[in-house]
Amino acid sequence: MSDGILRLSHAEVRVPDLELALAYYVEVVGLVETDRTADKAYLKGWDEHQHHSLILTDSPTYGLNGLGFKVMELTELDRLAARVEESGIEVTRHQPGELDLASGHIARFAAPSGHVVDLECGQEQVGNGLSLINPPPRPDDLRGIHPPRIDHIFLLCEDVDGTTSFFRDVLEFRLTEQIMADDGHQLATFLERTHSPHDIAFLTGPNGGFHHVAYWVDEWSDLKHAADTCAHHGVDIDAGPTRHGATRGCGLYFFDPAGNRNEVYTGGYWFDPDDEPTTWTESEMGRAVFCYRGQVDQRFMTVHS
Amino acid sequence: MSDGILRLSHAEVRVPDLELALAYYVEVVGLVETDRTADKAYLKGWDEHQHHSLILTDSPTYGLNGLGFKVMELTELDRLAARVEESGIEVTRHQPGELDLASGHIARFAAPSGHVVDLECGQEQVGNGLSLINPPPRPDDLRGIHPPRIDHIFLLCEDVDGTTSFFRDVLEFRLTEQIMADDGHQLATFLERTHSPHDIAFLTGPNGGFHHVAYWVDEWSDLKHAADTCAHHGVDIDAGPTRHGATRGCGLYFFDPAGNRNEVYTGGYWFDPDDEPTTWTESEMGRAVFCYRGQVDQRFMTVHS
Amino acid sequence: MSDGILRLSHAEVRVPDLELALAYYVEVVGLVETDRTADKAYLKGWDEHQHHSLILTDSPTYGLNGLGFKVMELTELDRLAARVEESGIEVTRHQPGELDLASGHIARFAAPSGHVVDLECGQEQVGNGLSLINPPPRPDDLRGIHPPRIDHIFLLCEDVDGTTSFFRDVLEFRLTEQIMADDGHQLATFLERTHSPHDIAFLTGPNGGFHHVAYWVDEWSDLKHAADTCAHHGVDIDAGPTRHGATRGCGLYFFDPAGNRNEVYTGGYWFDPDDEPTTWTESEMGRAVFCYRGQVDQRFMTVHS
Amino acid sequence: MSDGILRLSHAEVRVPDLELALAYYVEVVGLVETDRTADKAYLKGWDEHQHHSLILTDSPTYGLNGLGFKVMELTELDRLAARVEESGIEVTRHQPGELDLASGHIARFAAPSGHVVDLECGQEQVGNGLSLINPPPRPDDLRGIHPPRIDHIFLLCEDVDGTTSFFRDVLEFRLTEQIMADDGHQLATFLERTHSPHDIAFLTGPNGGFHHVAYWVDEWSDLKHAADTCAHHGVDIDAGPTRHGATRGCGLYFFDPAGNRNEVYTGGYWFDPDDEPTTWTESEMGRAVFCYRGQVDQRFMTVHS
């Protein structure tokens, strides 16, 4: 065993109207804009020290361009890239700054789920805006929901079993929970590297599909603040504030102006590598997703349209 | 770099009246008793899967007998034990069950701070009491404060600089925050393995000194519940609910019947290994400890008496 | 102007299985059972001093038998009863203990909405279970959701305009909010005596209809506790935790075993008698009811079946 | 019995530096400035409809100039003024706008406690800044702590027994709680008109003394936000967030730049006129004030200096 992937680093999301999307992510979500090019905007949660955890890219439609995981050591990047190649998947390597502003060393490949995945080492650190000497508890210019940091990403793919095996066997993720179909295949899986209930999760659906990216908030009362903020700005709220059965976490779902689903999430639990995964049966899927109502509507199970 | 220490595993605390202490930790703190011998009681937070995170030992006085860190792989236990021995400290090795009920492989040594430290691999897992199939969000028999799990331990020692170097250089902890005396030595240091603000911390004081062991609660409203519970049972509350400057976390301090200080703690932040540590100056020490009042009274800076 | 009605005192609800309903209201809702006859059970929130705020009555089906308002002075009871009679509605008068265990002087009549309304003066006081000398902040035997007290009742009727006029003109309620149909009649109205957003509210529907009775909880985090409690006991959750547009309060809706809708509610605002009422237009009715989702499903707009 | 006093309307507080105090009350406390003269500033909580609940007056030192209660009907103002005069206290009457910008009809007198008390009917209404048609849940320009409204005032006087009798017998307040000295006199009393635990309270001390004015916040999490806000602005926090034994409410105490103590308060309970008052004994006074720590320091028992 070795240190491997540290955590989810960032997501790159497509938006047809970059100005509108940027205004939303800054004013409503309360992310911090750290950089800007003609067709990309770079954002981060206020307490993140890295240059970005969200890249908005000007595109004809919405959806996910890719996601990145943070790796601390270049030797670990090499080791993991070799494991991916051994699994039969082509990996391309990129130098710092080659693919994105402030990006580090990157090993890029297409996962079996159809998603572009980056393993990144050495993205530039820009600090969280607080002094390193006698800091106040928070900056004084926070706006909107202002989550401190990215938490997890939830994706769709055709073959959840195969994708899960790849993330466990090759990328060294651990399975925390799964929703099993009556026929024995996995409808959804939850995988972690940070000992939280999930850093990434997969749900049965079209390959390359994007369900949501989630930012962390500290507690249940922050979800009310988030929902109030969405309501105030006329943002389309999809579900919540509510609690999930799977992960035991609480969240609020809503859509950016392009139609990408966002979540702010809190709660969950600590997962030791020798803890046993939890299994949900197909008949209890509604409660696995929404613990209180116990039902999932069709809109939630699909990408937005 | 390698996986090394996973997290704080447990603390062993001395109590002169084991029955009274056990009643307190079960009824007020809401820990789960998992085992019992003539002179020891084993307890855990309800959501912990390990056999114990707190051992109460019948003793003439209060204080800390030792603490343990969880290591996932025996090869890592060997590697870390070798590092400790190379630093000039004697290590004894123990087989599963040899030192405690349900204990795993243990490498035991005395840290430069004067505390007995165990590196443990393979403590028995007993589960968190929830079904692994379609579980409810929590057990239905929770009592008292019922924190889900242990969080960190705070110790006293004469040489904070030297102890901190040992924990960083030999045990591979990372420094997140420090309080610096005007003369340039460290008054207090905060160290982590779990990317939280602290898994262990040291404050200037007598070697072997025990400031507190902290259990995690999920949010600020749980601290009010904890304080209400303490007030209801006539437990001596030392400080809080309040927020710390250092770690930015929120906590409540109170004493067990023997005089050992407990904390329930929430909040804090995620710390990447390439984030910069925060430094507090001696003049701001009051605010580093208690962000709101900005003062520390003498009782808090010492062990209870 | 005179003191008039103090507050909502109690509701009498029909349940086909009194034992089952009683178990639910005690174990899940956490009300306190204060008395029992062959066909009735008397309950109150733990912090209420009155004998009962909820009467369960054995009946073939669910629904509301009636509701009561508390009046402090017998002269005021007489004055209000006379006003009701002057409006052309028959009033019957009842002595203490005549209609219910522990009941006070009662003036009973049928409101234009088809609901049986009691004005009651002098229901027996039983205390809240805390000592009157140096009390702890709460009793130590609270179970389930354990709301401290009743808050409001929400009823259906055919003629919301006429019913609202009766409650304002005759019973001296004040209008805080209303939802107006495009054709100019009132779809829903919110009325108060306690300077809260509503002690009683009416929604267009069948005369005598019962939407829900609401108990107060102190804050948003209590709604999560309530939802967790419902989820744990398999209680059918109808909606929430969420925020209302009208009243700005937050609530959770769920059903008792008989099909009567319950709410636990918090938030809202203080309303001075010279404050202006708020009006919602028909097109914004969804947001008036559920501020976050902005939609009301058909189930919520009807009585349960 | 008659409607009498509705609620605490406003306090007039002395500040030596009006600009500084105004900046503090607007930026830190988050009150809304509604009007200004050369030597006075008028402020209100964001959700108050009245013109002001706090008047800052330029003065050589800090302290309280007076307080006002809201009365809804001029006939009630006359009735109460007559009762005060019958008790042997001189009352002066003032026309709308005579004593203050936007003021209503006022009956002014000096209470036995040495405080100037106004009974006011018809202070101008300015609205809460939200639309009366389809409003959002809150304004979008809230700053600082932003409590919605005033809650209570806490005063010092030499003769608590006599002052309490005056407020009960003449002004028709109801006693909810009292702290009794071992010699049988009242050390502190809590009095209400709004069925909350206190609209005004008295503590033994110098006549005319001002302990604090309290604004309401909705919940415990708002007290953390308030304390964070104070810490961020370097405001001197006196005590809390904590829970009181008396009133069972939770609060945070801090000082304005002039040395006037402020509180933000939440919780408490509903008090019916036929509920029994609660009594605290002298030996339990620490817990009556601060339920968790159970101790009151000397600073808190005095006015600031």
Side-chain angles (χ1 to χ4, degrees):
Chain A
M1 191 189 281
S2 189
D3 280 307
I5 288 171
L6 175 71
R7 63 172 177 86
L8 179 65
S9 165
H10 59 271
E12 180 175 336
V13 169
R14 293 190 294 265
V15 293
D17 183 336
L18 185 55
E19 287 309 313
L20 178 63
L22 186 54
Y24 161 85
Y25 280 103
V26 168
E27 297 295 332
V28 179
V29 184
L31 300 184
V32 177
E33 182 185 354
T34 53
D35 241 324
R36 183 66 197 277
T37 65
D39 63 344
K40 285 190 178 183
Y42 297 84
L43 299 132
K44 71 181 197 68
W46 74 263
D47 197 28
E48 292 176 317
H49 294 247
Q50 275 203 172
H51 181 267
H52 54 264
S53 58
L54 185 70
I55 305 174
L56 302 177
T57 301
D58 200 12
S59 298
T61 185
Y62 64 93
L64 184 77
N65 268 356
L67 61 148
F69 294 107
K70 180 165 183 161
V71 176
M72 288 309 301
E73 303 289 331
L74 207 48
T75 53
E76 284 293 292
L77 192 68
D78 293 341
R79 186 179 67 80
L80 290 168
R83 289 172 68 93
V84 173
E85 287 182 324
E86 283 159 24
S87 80
I89 292 174
E90 189 183 0
V91 176
T92 61
R93 295 295 296 262
H94 305 273
Q95 294 303 306
E98 179 186 335
L99 292 178
D100 266 303
L101 291 182
S103 67
H105 294 273
I106 286 180
R108 174 170 288 187
F109 59 91
S113 60
H115 299 92
V116 174
V117 174
D118 288 353
L119 304 178
E120 183 179 29
C121 176
Q123 187 187 118
E124 282 179 25
Q125 294 278 87
V126 298
N128 67 354
L130 296 178
S131 171
L132 291 171
I133 312 288
N134 302 328
R138 54 183 165 89
D140 62 356
D141 56 354
L142 299 177
R143 284 185 283 187
I145 300 171
H146 58 79
R149 59 179 171 86
I150 199 168
D151 187 79
H152 68 267
I153 196 163
F154 213 120
L155 305 176
L156 305 177
C157 65
E158 293 171 16
D159 178 12
V160 172
D161 294 82
T163 296
T164 300
S165 293
F166 173 80
F167 273 80
R168 296 177 74 174
D169 300 342
V170 178
L171 297 179
E172 301 168 346
F173 279 78
R174 290 170 291 262
L175 180 75
T176 59
E177 309 208 19
Q178 57 186 345
I179 306 176
M180 299 299 289
D182 294 338
D183 65 7
H185 74 268
Q186 292 171 316
L187 286 169
T189 55
F190 301 77
L191 298 149
E192 64 83 14
R193 286 290 308 166
T194 63
H195 309 288
S196 74
H198 57 345
D199 297 305
I200 191 167
F202 292 98
L203 177 67
T204 306
N207 264 5
F210 175 46
H211 195 273
H212 66 266
V213 60
Y215 275 77
W216 175 261
V217 291
D218 279 340
E219 52 183 50
W220 172 247
S221 66
D222 295 317
L223 296 183
K224 176 158 166 273
H225 171 73
D228 281 347
T229 302
C230 285
H232 194 272
H233 287 86
V235 168
D236 183 10
I237 293 177
D238 190 32
T242 193
R243 187 199 264 259
H244 307 292
T247 83
R248 288 193 247 141
C250 297
L252 175 80
Y253 293 100
F254 46 100
F255 291 104
D256 79 8
N260 297 294
R261 192 185 276 103
N262 295 164
E263 185 184 14
V264 283
Y265 174 90
T266 189
Y269 51 80
W270 174 274
F271 188 82
D272 277 346
D274 53 347
D275 288 350
E276 292 291 323
T278 292
T279 296
W280 300 83
T281 55
E282 187 168 350
S283 63
E284 288 294 296
M285 182 160 184
R287 200 158 63 83
V289 179
F290 294 130
C291 176
Y292 295 151
R293 189 65 191 269
Q295 298 172 15
V296 189
D297 60 24
Q298 195 49 37
R299 178 164 95 150
F300 189 78
M301 297 306 286
T302 57
V303 292
H304 189 45
S305 62
Chain B
M1 191 188 281
S2 191
D3 280 307
I5 288 171
L6 175 70
R7 63 172 178 86
L8 178 65
S9 166
H10 58 272
E12 181 175 337
V13 169
R14 293 190 293 265
V15 293
D17 183 337
L18 185 56
E19 287 308 313
L20 178 63
L22 185 55
Y24 161 85
Y25 280 103
V26 168
E27 296 296 332
V28 180
V29 184
L31 301 183
V32 177
E33 182 185 354
T34 54
D35 241 324
R36 184 65 198 279
T37 65
D39 62 345
K40 285 191 178 184
Y42 297 84
L43 299 131
K44 71 179 197 69
W46 74 263
D47 198 27
E48 293 176 316
H49 295 247
Q50 275 201 173
H51 181 267
H52 55 263
S53 58
L54 185 69
I55 305 174
L56 303 178
T57 301
D58 200 12
S59 297
T61 185
Y62 65 92
L64 185 77
N65 269 355
L67 62 148
F69 293 106
K70 179 166 183 160
V71 176
M72 289 308 302
E73 303 289 331
L74 207 49
T75 52
E76 285 293 292
L77 191 68
D78 293 341
R79 186 179 67 78
L80 290 168
R83 289 174 69 94
V84 173
E85 287 182 324
E86 282 159 25
S87 80
I89 293 174
E90 189 182 1
V91 177
T92 60
R93 294 296 294 262
H94 306 272
Q95 293 304 305
E98 179 186 335
L99 293 178
D100 266 302
L101 291 183
S103 65
H105 294 271
I106 286 180
R108 174 169 288 186
F109 58 91
S113 60
H115 299 92
V116 174
V117 174
D118 287 354
L119 304 178
E120 181 179 32
C121 177
Q123 186 187 118
E124 281 178 30
Q125 295 277 88
V126 298
N128 66 355
L130 296 178
S131 171
L132 291 172
I133 312 287
N134 303 328
R138 54 181 166 90
D140 62 356
D141 54 355
L142 300 176
R143 284 185 284 187
I145 300 172
H146 59 77
R149 59 178 171 86
I150 199 168
D151 187 79
H152 68 266
I153 195 163
F154 212 120
L155 305 175
L156 304 178
C157 64
E158 292 172 16
D159 178 11
V160 174
D161 294 83
T163 296
T164 300
S165 292
F166 173 79
F167 274 80
R168 296 178 74 175
D169 299 342
V170 177
L171 297 180
E172 302 169 345
F173 279 78
R174 289 170 290 262
L175 180 74
T176 59
E177 308 208 19
Q178 57 186 344
I179 306 176
M180 298 300 289
D182 294 339
D183 66 7
H185 74 268
Q186 292 170 316
L187 286 169
T189 55
F190 301 78
L191 297 151
E192 64 84 13
R193 285 291 307 166
T194 64
H195 310 288
S196 74
H198 57 346
D199 296 305
I200 190 167
F202 293 97
L203 177 67
T204 305
N207 263 5
F210 175 45
H211 195 273
H212 67 266
V213 60
Y215 275 77
W216 174 261
V217 291
D218 279 340
E219 52 184 51
W220 173 247
S221 65
D222 295 318
L223 296 183
K224 175 159 166 273
H225 171 72
D228 282 347
T229 302
C230 286
H232 194 273
H233 287 87
V235 168
D236 183 10
I237 293 178
D238 189 33
T242 192
R243 186 199 265 261
H244 307 292
T247 82
R248 287 192 246 141
C250 296
L252 175 80
Y253 293 100
F254 45 101
F255 292 103
D256 78 8
N260 297 294
R261 193 185 274 103
N262 296 163
E263 185 185 14
V264 282
Y265 174 90
T266 189
Y269 51 80
W270 175 273
F271 188 81
D272 277 346
D274 53 347
D275 289 350
E276 293 290 323
T278 292
T279 297
W280 300 84
T281 56
E282 187 168 352
S283 61
E284 289 294 297
M285 183 161 184
R287 200 157 63 82
V289 179
F290 293 130
C291 175
Y292 295 151
R293 189 64 192 268
Q295 298 171 15
V296 188
D297 60 22
Q298 195 50 36
R299 179 164 94 149
F300 189 78
M301 297 305 285
T302 57
V303 292
H304 190 43
S305 61
Chain C
M1 193 188 280
S2 190
D3 281 307
I5 289 172
L6 176 70
R7 62 171 177 87
L8 178 65
S9 165
H10 58 272
E12 179 175 337
V13 169
R14 294 190 292 266
V15 293
D17 182 338
L18 185 55
E19 288 308 314
L20 178 63
L22 186 55
Y24 161 86
Y25 280 102
V26 168
E27 297 294 334
V28 179
V29 183
L31 300 183
V32 177
E33 182 185 352
T34 53
D35 240 323
R36 183 68 197 276
T37 64
D39 63 345
K40 285 191 179 185
Y42 297 83
L43 299 131
K44 70 179 198 70
W46 74 263
D47 197 28
E48 293 176 316
H49 295 247
Q50 275 202 173
H51 180 266
H52 55 263
S53 58
L54 184 69
I55 305 173
L56 303 178
T57 301
D58 200 12
S59 297
T61 184
Y62 63 93
L64 184 77
N65 268 355
L67 62 148
F69 293 106
K70 178 165 184 161
V71 177
M72 288 309 301
E73 303 290 330
L74 207 49
T75 52
E76 285 293 294
L77 192 68
D78 293 340
R79 186 180 65 81
L80 290 168
R83 290 173 68 92
V84 173
E85 287 182 324
E86 284 159 24
S87 80
I89 293 175
E90 188 182 2
V91 177
T92 61
R93 294 296 294 263
H94 305 273
Q95 293 303 306
E98 178 186 336
L99 293 178
D100 267 301
L101 291 183
S103 65
H105 293 272
I106 286 179
R108 174 170 288 187
F109 59 92
S113 60
H115 299 92
V116 174
V117 175
D118 287 353
L119 304 178
E120 183 180 29
C121 176
Q123 186 187 121
E124 282 178 28
Q125 295 277 88
V126 298
N128 66 355
L130 296 178
S131 171
L132 290 172
I133 311 288
N134 303 327
R138 54 182 165 88
D140 63 356
D141 55 354
L142 299 177
R143 284 184 284 187
I145 299 172
H146 57 79
R149 58 179 171 86
I150 199 168
D151 187 80
H152 68 266
I153 195 163
F154 212 119
L155 305 176
L156 305 178
C157 64
E158 291 171 17
D159 178 12
V160 173
D161 294 82
T163 296
T164 301
S165 293
F166 173 80
F167 274 81
R168 296 178 73 175
D169 299 342
V170 178
L171 297 180
E172 303 168 346
F173 279 78
R174 292 170 289 262
L175 180 75
T176 59
E177 308 208 20
Q178 57 187 344
I179 306 176
M180 298 299 289
D182 294 338
D183 65 8
H185 74 269
Q186 292 171 315
L187 286 169
T189 55
F190 301 77
L191 297 149
E192 63 84 15
R193 284 291 308 168
T194 63
H195 311 288
S196 74
H198 57 346
D199 296 305
I200 190 167
F202 292 98
L203 176 68
T204 306
N207 263 5
F210 175 45
H211 195 273
H212 66 266
V213 60
Y215 275 77
W216 174 262
V217 291
D218 279 340
E219 52 183 51
W220 173 246
S221 65
D222 295 317
L223 296 183
K224 175 158 166 274
H225 171 73
D228 282 347
T229 302
C230 286
H232 194 273
H233 288 87
V235 168
D236 183 10
I237 293 178
D238 190 33
T242 192
R243 186 199 266 261
H244 307 292
T247 81
R248 288 193 247 140
C250 296
L252 175 80
Y253 293 100
F254 45 101
F255 292 103
D256 78 7
N260 297 296
R261 192 185 276 103
N262 295 163
E263 185 184 14
V264 283
Y265 174 90
T266 189
Y269 50 80
W270 175 273
F271 187 82
D272 277 347
D274 53 346
D275 290 349
E276 292 291 321
T278 293
T279 297
W280 299 84
T281 56
E282 186 168 352
S283 62
E284 288 294 296
M285 182 160 184
R287 198 156 65 80
V289 179
F290 294 131
C291 176
Y292 295 151
R293 188 64 191 270
Q295 297 170 16
V296 188
D297 60 22
Q298 195 50 37
R299 178 164 94 150
F300 189 79
M301 297 306 286
T302 58
V303 292
H304 190 44
S305 62
Chain D
M1 190 188 279
S2 190
D3 281 306
I5 289 171
L6 176 70
R7 63 171 177 86
L8 179 65
S9 166
H10 58 271
E12 181 175 336
V13 169
R14 292 189 294 266
V15 293
D17 182 336
L18 185 56
E19 287 308 314
L20 178 63
L22 185 55
Y24 161 85
Y25 280 103
V26 168
E27 297 294 334
V28 179
V29 184
L31 300 183
V32 177
E33 181 185 352
T34 54
D35 240 323
R36 182 66 198 276
T37 64
D39 63 345
K40 285 191 178 184
Y42 296 85
L43 298 131
K44 72 181 196 69
W46 75 262
D47 197 28
E48 292 176 317
H49 294 248
Q50 274 202 174
H51 181 267
H52 55 263
S53 58
L54 185 70
I55 306 173
L56 302 177
T57 301
D58 200 11
S59 297
T61 184
Y62 64 93
L64 184 77
N65 268 355
L67 62 148
F69 293 106
K70 180 164 182 161
V71 176
M72 288 309 300
E73 302 289 331
L74 207 48
T75 52
E76 286 293 293
L77 192 68
D78 293 340
R79 186 178 67 79
L80 290 168
R83 289 172 69 92
V84 173
E85 287 183 324
E86 283 159 26
S87 80
I89 293 174
E90 187 182 2
V91 177
T92 62
R93 293 296 295 263
H94 305 272
Q95 292 304 305
E98 179 187 334
L99 293 178
D100 266 302
L101 291 184
S103 66
H105 294 272
I106 286 179
R108 174 170 288 188
F109 59 92
S113 60
H115 300 92
V116 174
V117 174
D118 288 353
L119 304 178
E120 183 180 29
C121 176
Q123 187 188 118
E124 282 179 27
Q125 294 278 88
V126 298
N128 66 354
L130 296 178
S131 171
L132 290 172
I133 312 288
N134 302 327
R138 54 181 165 90
D140 62 355
D141 55 354
L142 300 177
R143 285 184 283 187
I145 300 171
H146 58 80
R149 59 179 170 85
I150 200 168
D151 187 79
H152 67 266
I153 195 162
F154 212 119
L155 305 176
L156 305 177
C157 65
E158 293 172 15
D159 177 11
V160 173
D161 294 81
T163 296
T164 300
S165 293
F166 173 79
F167 274 79
R168 295 177 75 174
D169 299 342
V170 177
L171 298 180
E172 302 168 347
F173 279 78
R174 290 169 290 261
L175 181 75
T176 59
E177 309 207 19
Q178 56 186 346
I179 306 177
M180 298 300 289
D182 293 339
D183 65 8
H185 74 269
Q186 291 171 316
L187 287 169
T189 54
F190 301 76
L191 297 150
E192 64 84 15
R193 285 291 308 166
T194 63
H195 310 287
S196 73
H198 56 347
D199 296 306
I200 189 166
F202 292 97
L203 177 67
T204 306
N207 262 5
F210 175 45
H211 195 274
H212 66 265
V213 61
Y215 275 78
W216 174 262
V217 292
D218 279 340
E219 52 183 52
W220 172 247
S221 65
D222 295 318
L223 296 183
K224 176 158 166 273
H225 171 72
D228 282 347
T229 302
C230 286
H232 194 274
H233 288 87
V235 168
D236 183 10
I237 293 177
D238 189 34
T242 193
R243 186 199 266 260
H244 306 292
T247 83
R248 288 194 245 140
C250 297
L252 175 80
Y253 293 100
F254 45 100
F255 292 103
D256 78 7
N260 297 295
R261 193 185 276 102
N262 296 163
E263 184 184 16
V264 284
Y265 174 90
T266 189
Y269 51 80
W270 175 273
F271 188 82
D272 276 347
D274 53 346
D275 289 349
E276 292 291 322
T278 292
T279 297
W280 299 83
T281 55
E282 186 167 352
S283 62
E284 288 294 296
M285 182 161 185
R287 198 157 65 81
V289 179
F290 294 130
C291 176
Y292 295 151
R293 189 65 192 269
Q295 298 170 15
V296 188
D297 59 21
Q298 195 49 37
R299 179 165 94 149
F300 189 78
M301 297 306 285
T302 57
V303 291
H304 190 44
S305 61

